[in-house]
Amino acid sequence: TDVGMILGAGLSSRIEPIPTLTHAAKPAFKISEDESLIGRSARLLKEHGVKHVMVNTFYKPETTQAALNKASKDHDFEAHYLD
């Protein structure tokens, strides 16, 4: 299939102790200098043939969407959002 789904709507409380000082949704948390957690997930989907990455958003959707938009430009896939 060419469609992948990332579940990004929760508070990500199970991935503590990511600092809560960032004021961003945890999927948007940077795990390296140039890649976010959600960006890495999307990149891996792209590497496996996915052309359309969907993510559901709820908590701080603007930060999750910004991180995925950056990844979509870096890795050439289409980003779609479900509220």
Side-chain angles (χ1 to χ4, degrees), residues 5-79:
M5 177 82 185
I6 299 172
L7 302 177
L11 300 176
S12 301
S13 59
R14 290 183 293 269
I15 60 172
E16 289 296 341
I18 290 177
T20 57
L21 302 174
T22 62
H23 303 293
K26 290 179 186 164
F29 184 75
K30 304 256 306 169
I31 55 175
S32 69
E33 188 173 312
D34 59 343
E35 192 168 44
S36 65
L37 185 60
I38 202 164
R40 178 168 292 176
S41 298
R43 177 179 54 81
L44 292 171
L45 288 171
K46 170 66 178 177
E47 289 175 3
H48 286 86
V50 170
K51 297 175 185 164
H52 301 271
V53 176
M54 300 180 72
V55 63
N56 62 331
T57 59
F58 171 72
Y59 178 70
K60 298 187 179 182
E62 62 283 350
T63 58
T64 301
Q65 290 175 4
L68 191 62
N69 286 339
K70 179 190 178 311
S72 73
K73 290 175 186 168
D74 292 347
H75 303 293
D76 191 34
F77 62 84
E78 289 189 42

